[in-house]
Amino acid sequence: MGEKVIERFELKYLQIVDEAGVADPSLISSFPDGLIKKFFEAIVLTRTYNERALSLQREGRLGTYASVYGQEACQIGSALALEKGDWVFPSFRESGVFLTLGYPIWQMLRYWKGDERGMKIPRDINIFPMSVPVGTHIPHAAGAAWAMKIKGHKNASLCYFGDGGSSRGDFHEGLNIAGVLKLPAVFICQNNQWAISVPRSRQTAAKTIAQRAWSYGFEGVQVDGNDVLGVYSATKGALEKAKKGGGPTLIECFTYRLDDHTTADDASRYRSGEEVKEWKGKEPLVRLKILMQKKGLLSGEYEKTVNEKAKALVDKAIEEEEAYPPSEPEDIILYTNSSLTPRQSREIKELGWQK
Amino acid sequence: MGEKVIERFELKYLQIVDEAGVADPSLISSFPDGLIKKFFEAIVLTRTYNERALSLQREGRLGTYASVYGQEACQIGSALALEKGDWVFPSFRESGVFLTLGYPIWQMLRYWKGDERGMKIPRDINIFPMSVPVGTHIPHAAGAAWAMKIKGHKNASLCYFGDGGSSRGDFHEGLNIAGVLKLPAVFICQNNQWAISVPRSRQTAAKTIAQRAWSYGFEGVQVDGNDVLGVYSATKGALEKAKKGGGPTLIECFTYRLDDHTTADDASRYRSGEEVKEWKGKEPLVRLKILMQKKGLLSGEYEKTVNEKAKALVDKAIEEEEAYPPSEPEDIILYTNSSLTPRQSREIKELGWQK
Amino acid sequence: MAKINIVQAINQALREEMERDADVIVLGEDVGKDGGVFRVTEGLLEKFGPARVIDTPLAELGIAGAAIGMAAYGLKPVVEMQFMAFSYEAIEQIFSHAARLRNRSRGRYNCPIVVRMPYGVGIKGPELHMDSSEALFCHMPGIKVVVPSTPYNAKGLLTSAIRDPDPVVFLEPARLYRAIKTEVPQGEFTLALGKADVFQEGRDITAISWGAMLHRVIDASEGFDCEIIDLKTLKPFDEETILNSVKKTGRVVIVHEATKYCGLGAEVAAFLAQEAIMHLKGPVARVAAPEAVVPMALLEDYYMPSKERIRRAFEEAMKY
Amino acid sequence: MAKINIVQAINQALREEMERDADVIVLGEDVGKDGGVFRVTEGLLEKFGPARVIDTPLAELGIAGAAIGMAAYGLKPVVEMQFMAFSYEAIEQIFSHAARLRNRSRGRYNCPIVVRMPYGVGIKGPELHMDSSEALFCHMPGIKVVVPSTPYNAKGLLTSAIRDPDPVVFLEPARLYRAIKTEVPQGEFTLALGKADVFQEGRDITAISWGAMLHRVIDASEGFDCEIIDLKTLKPFDEETILNSVKKTGRVVIVHEATKYCGLGAEVAAFLAQEAIMHLKGPVARVAAPEAVVPMALLEDYYMPSKERIRRAFEEAMKY
Ligand SMILES: Cc1ncc(C[n+]2csc(CCOP(=O)(O)OP(=O)(O)O)c2C)c(N)n1
Ligand SMILES: Cc1ncc(C[n+]2csc(CCOP(=O)(O)OP(=O)(O)O)c2C)c(N)n1
Ligand SMILES: [Mg+2]
Ligand SMILES: [Mg+2]
């Protein structure tokens, strides 16, 4: 009788390299130099791509585009923790993930130009088309993980969404199902503090998003989302646990969207320049470079090569993209189902679209 | 750097009177005898009504009916904590709430017979029509609470749903919005261990449903749902807090559905007689009677009067219900909107339904 | 051949497809131990085990969404929504994802899910247990919609739906579940999606319906020389069969349980108004529910198109 | 009178209704500080404060559901869904609750909410930013559906929608938001729901459309003696105006952005096939999107009914 405590929870926060580039000595030790260089190269590639995409958009050569600037560590740290056979379920801001998985850059550009063929995923990459309706892809990740479990495949699914996405029913139903079935799924919330103009504080009164994991009976952790090592480590651990049958994990990457929401947005309408400036000081590349310098991993020569290689890759992709032949109008109808209905065939004829 | 704990939570459980009728001495002291008798009388009325409804259903005089047996304490304890001006959002199993608010019994029976007029809520009772789609009414409770806040009314809304309902997107979005806006809303989850044939353990991997409150930045508590005093106390406190601007509370009433899901269900297909028997030993009336006996509140005379009064009320309601004239077919169309569309008027004529 | 009802026919189709293809799984609320609230999945858990017959949390959008992920990964999930109205939370998953996955990925992924649900008036159910909103799904490019009217076509159509490489919404007329028994072959057989049945040939009137209404139409047709078409696949419907019949009769009566406004009857009528106008002798009649939501049990019988209303429509048609 | 565009007209209607009635509130994603992604609610937060102009979490069913509770309690919430396709999660709330609350409570509660949303193709938007699914809402008894085609009727119709005691889905043709400026009176005025406009009288063809397509129809009508009807209210549509016109012309072309199958054009055509068959000289034509989901930007122009397609339909009609 009376009142008693029946459950206790603790939420942990993980950071391996801080804003000043100082690393936790015990946690950094397991990171081989090669991996750190991989982080660096992927961030450079992502930034290079992102900047070019933004300028292409300004020139009218792409449609509305969602910049990834500031969130590279969340995406690259987690994507590099994936293994072959794992599946990825991205939202619309995961350029860093696509690039890290080796997704053809020209296809990414093509997608943002407004071409469905940009999301005709190459056979050797297990990623879903980007999800435009926020949060709706979360149950898909649970479903794929469920299928892996049923089929006995020792893989996991990895799902990306934002702080805004965590308010949707899909988040709740998807994570809850994953918890009940103990599915091999890892959920990564990139809490970039904003959902267009709505600040995190207005998205939920919960102090963190990570703590929601306990609603579903599994573990959650908040990670410094601008610390690529921290993100890698948390994701790697979560994926391993998932594949061993330990069930899902929710990882909140605490980060910041340094650019406008998309190129159609003007963030100066709703947030202060000081806030952005403050977060620029915490961005993921600077601290990684300091760390690499200290470790002697960042020669001028190396940096130059990495930059040039990234630039060359993106340049080549832009050329490929622009040389790509346009779709046929018929394609609007052709991929609806495995075969055309009589009405669709008639429509193709009536519209004069048959090839 | 490194790993650190950034958030800690504790979940409390409240029980004032245990299964053996033993009360926590400090917590019981605030309960006047009159209130305890009110609990008793409401439970008796609810049981009397419920038994009659079940037998009417067996006789073919009602449609499918959802029994409240076993959950009376959750409903009565909470409903008695309401004040005038508070609003209630019930699911389909809240007969105990309706009765406690003085809802016309003949209308309740009428509803279960299949007559919309059963949910033509009397003007002096602020309850919504029962929600048949599970969990979908949760955001309505948030909305009403929001309106109270906007209008500066010092009231609260009280929402009932089941363990099954807590898995729905509506739960998540409704509670999250209530948290963000700090709305005067109290959410009562009657965790009766089953959602038709699906056991609580399969509904979520979380140990409790109450702990979900932290996902939304407010407080949650688990209460012994078969202890009417505990439920009353938790609800009263939560309502007071809400009205003072303290925001929402999630109360999980830990209880048990002693009957089949509805009269259309056969629970023996999926759960054991032993489990039911065990929970019968914890049901709310027995322990209350022991408590009352100890307190000298339960004379044979009094008990008889209460039983007879309940029976008389229900008898009278059955008569009223049966004497009630049938609806006109026109009513099918008439209440769709505030006025009829031309097509609806034509349809009423074509169907020969005009009065 | 054994005579079985629709519940048994669907159960048989599920069972045989699950035996045939290990990728076929069944998921939904109460589909496991309880065998579904209509007992459609009875015995499947015992036979195929809890990995393939799965009781889910009460979360319709989650169930549909998870099924999409499963399907893309390589399973063939058959989802049960307990009643049609409870599928509405899942409409976004069905419309924005299941229906579009193949198109959005230009064929890299497809989504072979079947979403089964009982629907329709006539079971004295509680509120929201008797909706007939087939038109909502019919308006979604990429979604096929199927409704059986007999045990035989319940089995054949469901088998086809499960084998279909794309998403199919499979609507089961709850009123018919146990109302009719017919002979149904044991063992697998399929009925092509997109094909209607001419249930009965006739010269004067083409009566078009599906599901439970087919049987009302049959009842009402006595004394009329009525060609009775059972649509079976609502999307895409069998234009050829309808057109051939209307060319012959010149008179059309469409009967459905749903409301008229943007119901499937509207599409059938509009199709005829475009393609067969020169063959029509008189108005295309729709006998349907009035513009109102399904009433509760006591008024339910008034809502459903009655034999008398259908006969009146036939009589009216014969005036032209 | 000032010339303003549709964005400004809607903003004015909101502003004036909020001034007039303290119970009118605005809620949705980014409607506050940002003034809405199309700037439709610009300046309202500054003027009416954060209690009445509310940025919500990203939760469409929660927003719609909360609005229902607010409305029943006595407010008049105007909800913004950022784009039509994002309202799909809220369909259950709209269909199972908003549409039915009055009926289920036999008039005790009503649900005066307005759900505003931009819709339609033609803005080179990302995926799922250009759906035209008006027919889904039109199929729900209890829901009114309104689409303005000009700044003037945007203001008048929205004012009426806000004052309507029942739920209204208010669809805003995103393509037109800033495309046309017309004179719109300052100060409140209403335009009756359920009434169509005869935009232009004519004798040969009745062309029926709404929203952005109206302007395509006007363009295409050159050289035809075309009676152009702007439907304005899609549910319930103005049967009388349509019927009178068709009785005169005998030829009908319906133009919409949505796909045909169970689209609103089907209902209009079916209505005519029932009520006006004897006046029809030829087929009822529907010019609409092909049976496919809205393509992304590069193919978008092919999807939308073009001036040429509409003209072809007019020419075809004139053959009868
Ligand atoms: C269901 C849905 N509602 C609204 C939108 C419009 N919208 C696009 S992105 C966005 C904010 C998303 O915020 P968050 O989830 O935090 O992701 P972020 O943009 O910060 O990466 C909104 C409201 C949408 N795409 N989908
Ligand atoms: C959205 C929805 N899905 C399914 C159903 C069918 N159904 C009715 S009650 C029920 C179980 C509800 O369980 P719970 O929420 O725990 O409430 P309880 O019945 O235990 O009171 C189900 C699945 C429904 N009414 N609504
Ligand atoms: Mg964000
Ligand atoms: Mg329960």
Side-chain angles (χ1 to χ4, degrees):
Chain A
M1 283 156 305
E3 233 181 6
K4 63 176 187 226
V5 172
I6 54 167
E7 238 339 36
R8 284 198 173 81
F9 319 106
E10 273 185 6
L11 179 68
K12 283 191 188 140
Y13 175 86
L14 173 69
Q15 184 192 52
I16 297 180
V17 181
D18 75 7
E19 302 159 32
V22 182
D24 181 287
S26 70
L27 295 174
I28 187 96
S29 60
S30 63
F31 283 86
D33 291 350
L35 181 58
I36 294 175
K37 285 166 101 174
K38 261 199 193 166
F39 293 146
F40 175 74
E41 290 158 21
I43 295 181
V44 169
L45 177 61
T46 300
R47 278 220 179 151
T48 308
Y49 163 82
N50 195 61
E51 275 160 28
R52 291 299 291 280
L54 286 166
S55 71
L56 288 169
Q57 192 282 333
R58 275 191 300 272
E59 294 164 22
R61 290 158 73 193
L62 293 187
T64 303
Y65 173 75
S67 168
V68 66
Y69 180 39
Q71 299 177 220
E72 298 89 347
C74 311
Q75 301 190 5
I76 288 155
S78 52
L80 279 172
L82 287 161
E83 294 176 314
K84 210 174 140 55
D86 296 338
W87 277 50
V88 177
F89 294 81
S91 90
F92 50 85
R93 203 186 289 290
E94 271 69 74
S95 301
V97 177
F98 278 87
L99 291 165
T100 304
L101 295 178
Y103 200 87
I105 301 176
W106 68 268
Q107 270 192 287
M108 296 168 64
L109 294 167
R110 197 76 208 161
Y111 176 80
W112 291 109
K113 194 172 241 179
D115 185 341
E116 285 83 354
R117 294 172 303 175
M119 285 296 122
K120 180 169 180 167
I121 323 283
R123 282 277 155 198
D124 57 338
I125 300 181
N126 297 318
I127 193 165
F128 238 46
M130 335 192 163
S131 180
V132 168
V134 170
T136 53
H137 57 301
I138 301 175
H140 308 166
W146 200 340
M148 292 169 189
K149 186 166 172 169
I150 289 173
K151 286 181 176 270
H153 298 173
K154 290 271 162 275
N155 289 109
S157 72
L158 182 56
C159 184
Y160 295 90
F161 50 89
D163 41 315
S166 77
S167 296
R168 287 261 311 183
D170 312 76
F171 168 90
H172 183 67
E173 299 194 11
L175 268 72
N176 189 50
I177 288 174
V180 170
L181 279 300
K182 247 192 167 190
L183 302 178
V186 177
F187 300 100
I188 296 199
C189 178
Q190 289 175 74
N191 170 7
N192 64 3
Q193 314 305 328
W194 292 92
I196 310 189
S197 73
V198 179
R200 218 311 320 238
S201 59
R202 199 155 180 93
Q203 202 60 244
T204 175
K207 188 173 161 192
T208 71
I209 290 168
Q211 72 201 53
R212 291 201 167 151
W214 283 289
S215 278
Y216 312 114
F218 52 81
E219 264 187 288
V221 62
Q222 195 185 60
V223 185
D224 180 344
N226 292 355
D227 167 22
V228 67
L229 283 75
V231 174
Y232 175 86
S233 165
T235 312
K236 184 123 190 115
L239 285 169
E240 276 166 12
K241 178 179 168 183
K243 292 171 195 178
K244 279 196 201 122
T249 306
L250 171 61
I251 300 173
E252 175 185 356
C253 293
F254 202 77
T255 183
Y256 195 80
R257 191 195 84 210
L258 286 170
D259 272 333
D260 293 338
H261 170 69
T262 63
T263 52
D265 176 51
D266 171 9
S268 72
R269 292 173 64 90
Y270 53 77
R271 68 183 190 186
S272 73
E274 291 80 68
E275 181 184 298
V276 180
K277 208 177 140 203
E278 194 197 314
W279 275 96
K280 274 217 172 113
K282 304 186 197 170
E283 66 94 347
L285 187 56
V286 170
R287 74 177 76 177
L288 185 65
K289 282 170 82 170
I290 300 174
L291 179 81
M292 288 172 77
Q293 259 148 6
K294 282 194 239 169
K295 285 182 150 278
L297 295 175
L298 197 70
S299 71
E301 186 59 28
Y302 168 70
E303 201 178 345
K304 200 174 147 224
T305 319
V306 171
N307 280 321
E308 277 169 4
K309 203 178 140 201
K311 196 175 161 309
L313 272 173
V314 175
D315 282 342
K316 184 157 155 281
I318 293 172
E319 270 171 41
E320 285 171 328
E321 184 280 303
E322 298 200 326
Y324 201 65
S327 283
E328 299 294 330
E330 191 185 18
D331 290 354
I332 293 175
I333 299 183
L334 228 47
Y335 294 90
T336 307
N337 276 157
S338 69
S339 60
L340 293 174
T341 66
R343 192 183 284 204
Q344 287 177 317
S345 304
R346 212 165 56 232
E347 285 174 335
I348 289 176
K349 263 194 222 121
E350 282 167 10
L351 290 160
W353 286 354
Q354 62 277 67
K355 276 179 200 162
Chain B
M1 286 156 307
E3 233 182 6
K4 63 178 184 221
V5 171
I6 55 167
E7 243 327 45
R8 285 200 169 79
F9 319 105
E10 274 185 6
L11 179 69
K12 282 190 187 140
Y13 174 85
L14 173 67
Q15 184 192 54
I16 297 180
V17 181
D18 74 7
E19 302 160 35
V22 182
D24 180 287
S26 70
L27 294 173
I28 187 97
S29 61
S30 63
F31 283 86
D33 291 350
L35 181 57
I36 293 175
K37 284 165 99 174
K38 262 198 193 164
F39 293 146
F40 175 72
E41 289 158 22
I43 296 181
V44 169
L45 177 60
T46 301
R47 279 222 176 151
T48 308
Y49 163 83
N50 196 61
E51 275 160 27
R52 291 299 289 280
L54 287 166
S55 72
L56 287 169
Q57 193 281 334
R58 274 191 300 270
E59 293 162 24
R61 290 156 76 192
L62 294 188
T64 302
Y65 173 75
S67 170
V68 65
Y69 180 38
Q71 298 176 224
E72 297 90 348
C74 311
Q75 301 192 2
I76 288 155
S78 53
L80 278 170
L82 288 161
E83 293 177 315
K84 209 175 143 54
D86 295 339
W87 276 49
V88 176
F89 293 81
S91 88
F92 50 85
R93 201 185 291 287
E94 271 70 72
S95 301
V97 177
F98 278 88
L99 290 165
T100 304
L101 295 177
Y103 200 89
I105 301 174
W106 68 267
Q107 272 192 285
M108 296 167 63
L109 294 167
R110 198 77 206 161
Y111 176 81
W112 290 111
K113 192 172 243 177
D115 185 341
E116 285 83 355
R117 293 172 304 175
M119 284 296 122
K120 180 169 182 169
I121 323 283
R123 282 278 154 195
D124 58 339
I125 300 180
N126 298 318
I127 193 164
F128 239 46
M130 336 191 161
S131 182
V132 167
V134 170
T136 54
H137 58 300
I138 301 174
H140 308 164
W146 200 343
M148 291 168 190
K149 186 166 173 171
I150 289 173
K151 286 181 175 268
H153 297 172
K154 291 272 161 276
N155 289 110
S157 72
L158 183 56
C159 185
Y160 295 89
F161 50 88
D163 42 312
S166 76
S167 297
R168 288 261 310 181
D170 312 76
F171 168 91
H172 182 67
E173 299 195 13
L175 268 72
N176 189 47
I177 287 175
V180 170
L181 280 299
K182 244 191 171 198
L183 302 178
V186 176
F187 300 99
I188 296 199
C189 178
Q190 290 175 72
N191 170 6
N192 65 4
Q193 315 305 329
W194 292 92
I196 309 186
S197 73
V198 179
R200 221 305 323 237
S201 58
R202 196 149 183 99
Q203 201 61 245
T204 174
K207 187 171 160 194
T208 72
I209 290 168
Q211 72 202 52
R212 292 200 166 153
W214 282 289
S215 278
Y216 313 114
F218 52 81
E219 265 186 287
V221 60
Q222 195 186 61
V223 186
D224 179 343
N226 291 355
D227 166 22
V228 66
L229 282 75
V231 174
Y232 175 85
S233 168
T235 312
K236 184 123 189 116
L239 285 169
E240 276 165 13
K241 178 178 169 187
K243 292 172 196 178
K244 279 195 200 122
T249 307
L250 172 61
I251 300 172
E252 175 185 357
C253 295
F254 201 78
T255 183
Y256 195 79
R257 192 195 83 211
L258 285 170
D259 273 334
D260 291 338
H261 170 68
T262 64
T263 51
D265 176 51
D266 172 9
S268 71
R269 291 174 65 90
Y270 52 77
R271 68 183 189 187
S272 72
E274 291 79 67
E275 181 184 300
V276 180
K277 206 175 142 205
E278 193 196 315
W279 275 95
K280 273 216 174 115
K282 303 185 197 170
E283 66 96 346
L285 187 55
V286 169
R287 73 177 78 176
L288 184 65
K289 282 170 80 171
I290 299 174
L291 178 81
M292 289 172 78
Q293 260 148 5
K294 281 195 236 166
K295 285 180 148 280
L297 294 175
L298 196 71
S299 71
E301 187 58 25
Y302 168 70
E303 200 179 344
K304 199 173 151 225
T305 317
V306 172
N307 280 321
E308 278 170 4
K309 203 177 140 201
K311 194 174 164 310
L313 273 173
V314 175
D315 281 342
K316 186 158 153 279
I318 294 173
E319 270 172 40
E320 284 171 328
E321 184 280 301
E322 297 203 325
Y324 201 64
S327 284
E328 298 294 328
E330 192 185 16
D331 290 354
I332 292 174
I333 300 184
L334 227 47
Y335 294 90
T336 306
N337 275 159
S338 70
S339 59
L340 293 175
T341 66
R343 191 183 283 203
Q344 287 177 316
S345 303
R346 213 166 57 232
E347 284 174 336
I348 288 177
K349 263 194 223 117
E350 282 168 9
L351 290 160
W353 286 354
Q354 62 278 66
K355 276 180 199 161
Chain C
M1 245 185 314
K3 284 198 166 189
I4 58 174
N5 63 29
I6 290 186
V7 167
Q8 293 164 317
I10 295 173
N11 184 279
Q12 230 177 66
L14 290 171
R15 196 179 289 260
E16 290 172 8
E17 286 306 289
M18 290 182 80
E19 272 169 7
R20 197 179 147 269
D21 181 351
D23 286 335
V24 177
I25 63 154
V26 164
L27 70 163
E29 296 155 14
D30 307 294
V31 298
K33 214 159 175 191
D34 200 34
V37 292
F38 285 105
R39 309 288 176 254
V40 171
T41 55
E42 182 144 28
L44 299 182
L45 174 67
E46 290 73 3
K47 181 149 178 67
F48 300 103
R52 291 183 65 199
V53 181
I54 311 155
D55 277 327
T56 62
L58 207 163
E60 280 77 2
L61 90 75
I63 297 168
I68 292 167
M70 289 173 153
Y73 191 84
L75 294 179
K76 295 182 150 244
V78 182
V79 167
E80 175 173 311
M81 297 280 162
Q82 208 160 79
F83 286 89
M84 177 182 254
F86 308 141
S87 75
Y88 299 156
E89 197 202 18
I91 279 182
E92 178 171 41
Q93 286 295 336
I94 295 170
F95 191 19
S96 297
H97 286 294
R100 304 183 201 217
L101 185 58
R102 180 189 289 274
N103 182 65
R104 304 178 59 229
S105 67
R106 281 295 183 260
R108 159 72 200 271
Y109 296 114
N110 63 331
C111 190
I113 65 173
V114 176
V115 185
R116 294 179 39 240
M117 50 184 102
Y119 91 109
V121 81
I123 56 166
K124 306 274 177 224
E127 287 182 85
L128 286 149
H129 283 64
M130 301 191 291
D131 275 20
S132 298
S133 310
E134 60 269 22
L136 300 186
F137 297 107
C138 288
H139 191 50
M140 304 175 183
I143 298 294
K144 294 192 186 75
V145 183
V146 174
V147 178
S149 56
T150 65
Y152 176 78
N153 57 43
K155 181 169 173 187
L157 291 169
L158 182 57
T159 304
S160 294
I162 294 172
R163 297 187 191 176
D164 197 275
D166 292 307
V168 179
V169 170
F170 191 85
L171 304 177
E172 302 170 3
R175 183 180 166 76
L176 298 185
Y177 265 147
R178 295 173 187 279
I180 21 172
K181 284 199 168 189
T182 57
E183 290 193 345
V184 177
Q186 282 281 346
E188 52 170 287
F189 68 96
T190 59
L191 292 171
L193 305 186
K195 294 277 167 249
D197 274 349
V198 178
F199 178 86
Q200 170 188 300
E201 298 202 2
R203 276 173 308 185
D204 287 345
I205 303 172
T206 300
I208 302 169
S209 66
W210 52 90
M213 284 301 110
L214 174 73
H215 302 277
R216 287 247 155 143
V217 168
I218 295 169
D219 261 16
S221 68
E222 213 196 296
F224 295 92
D225 194 354
C226 212
E227 180 134 315
I228 299 178
I229 295 182
D230 177 4
L231 219 45
K232 294 195 314 188
T233 297
L234 307 192
K235 170 83 175 281
F237 64 65
D238 182 345
E239 301 182 341
E240 204 188 327
T241 298
I242 292 178
L243 216 47
N244 287 341
S245 177
V246 173
K247 281 181 185 165
K248 181 168 63 171
T249 64
R251 299 186 192 85
V252 187
V253 174
I254 303 159
V255 183
H256 62 56
E257 289 162 84
T259 56
K260 275 187 193 170
Y261 215 101
C262 290
L264 179 64
E267 182 55 40
V268 176
F271 167 71
L272 292 171
Q274 181 141 21
E275 303 295 335
I277 193 100
M278 292 322 184
H279 302 281
L280 289 171
K281 296 178 179 149
V284 177
R286 287 182 284 165
V287 181
E291 181 60 24
V293 296
V294 187
M296 292 181 68
L298 292 179
L299 291 175
E300 184 188 342
D301 288 339
Y302 294 99
Y303 185 79
M304 202 180 351
S306 63
K307 185 173 156 183
E308 290 65 42
R309 286 183 62 207
I310 301 169
R311 285 188 70 82
R312 244 183 288 143
F314 288 161
E315 281 159 17
E316 197 59 38
M318 289 311 295
K319 290 187 185 155
Y320 293 86
Chain D
M1 239 183 322
K3 284 200 167 190
I4 58 173
N5 64 28
I6 290 185
V7 167
Q8 293 164 316
I10 295 174
N11 185 280
Q12 233 177 62
L14 291 170
R15 196 178 289 261
E16 290 172 7
E17 285 306 288
M18 291 182 82
E19 273 168 4
R20 197 180 147 268
D21 182 350
D23 286 336
V24 178
I25 63 154
V26 164
L27 69 162
E29 294 155 15
D30 306 294
V31 297
K33 215 162 175 188
D34 200 35
V37 292
F38 285 105
R39 308 290 175 251
V40 171
T41 56
E42 183 143 30
L44 299 183
L45 174 67
E46 291 74 3
K47 184 152 174 68
F48 300 103
R52 292 183 63 199
V53 182
I54 311 156
D55 277 326
T56 61
L58 208 163
E60 281 77 4
L61 90 75
I63 297 168
I68 292 167
M70 289 172 151
Y73 192 83
L75 294 178
K76 292 179 154 246
V78 182
V79 167
E80 177 173 309
M81 296 279 160
Q82 207 158 81
F83 286 90
M84 177 181 251
F86 308 142
S87 75
Y88 299 155
E89 196 202 16
I91 279 183
E92 177 171 42
Q93 287 294 336
I94 295 170
F95 191 20
S96 297
H97 286 294
R100 302 183 202 216
L101 186 56
R102 182 189 288 274
N103 183 64
R104 304 178 58 229
S105 67
R106 280 296 183 258
R108 160 70 198 273
Y109 297 114
N110 64 329
C111 190
I113 64 172
V114 176
V115 186
R116 294 179 40 241
M117 52 183 101
Y119 89 109
V121 82
I123 58 167
K124 306 270 176 226
E127 286 182 87
L128 286 150
H129 283 64
M130 301 192 292
D131 274 22
S132 298
S133 312
E134 60 270 21
L136 301 186
F137 297 108
C138 289
H139 191 50
M140 304 174 184
I143 298 293
K144 294 192 185 74
V145 183
V146 174
V147 178
S149 56
T150 65
Y152 176 77
N153 58 42
K155 181 170 172 186
L157 290 170
L158 182 56
T159 305
S160 294
I162 292 172
R163 296 187 192 176
D164 197 275
D166 292 307
V168 178
V169 170
F170 191 85
L171 304 178
E172 303 171 2
R175 182 179 165 76
L176 297 185
Y177 265 146
R178 295 170 188 280
I180 22 172
K181 282 198 170 193
T182 58
E183 291 192 341
V184 177
Q186 282 281 344
E188 53 170 289
F189 68 93
T190 58
L191 293 172
L193 304 187
K195 293 277 167 248
D197 274 348
V198 177
F199 178 88
Q200 171 189 298
E201 296 203 3
R203 276 174 307 185
D204 286 346
I205 302 173
T206 299
I208 302 169
S209 67
W210 53 89
M213 284 302 111
L214 174 73
H215 302 277
R216 287 249 153 142
V217 167
I218 295 169
D219 261 19
S221 69
E222 215 195 295
F224 295 92
D225 194 352
C226 211
E227 179 135 315
I228 299 180
I229 295 181
D230 177 5
L231 218 46
K232 294 195 314 186
T233 298
L234 306 191
K235 171 82 178 282
F237 66 65
D238 183 346
E239 300 181 343
E240 205 187 326
T241 299
I242 292 178
L243 215 49
N244 286 340
S245 177
V246 173
K247 281 181 185 166
K248 184 168 63 174
T249 65
R251 298 185 193 86
V252 188
V253 175
I254 303 160
V255 183
H256 63 56
E257 289 162 84
T259 54
K260 275 188 195 170
Y261 213 102
C262 290
L264 179 63
E267 182 55 40
V268 176
F271 166 72
L272 292 171
Q274 181 140 23
E275 302 296 335
I277 193 99
M278 291 323 185
H279 302 281
L280 289 171
K281 295 178 181 150
V284 177
R286 288 181 285 165
V287 182
E291 181 62 21
V293 295
V294 186
M296 291 181 71
L298 292 178
L299 291 175
E300 184 187 343
D301 288 340
Y302 294 99
Y303 184 77
M304 200 176 359
S306 63
K307 186 172 154 182
E308 292 63 44
R309 286 184 61 208
I310 301 169
R311 285 187 69 82
R312 243 182 289 144
F314 289 161
E315 281 157 18
E316 196 58 38
M318 289 311 296
K319 290 188 186 155
Y320 293 86

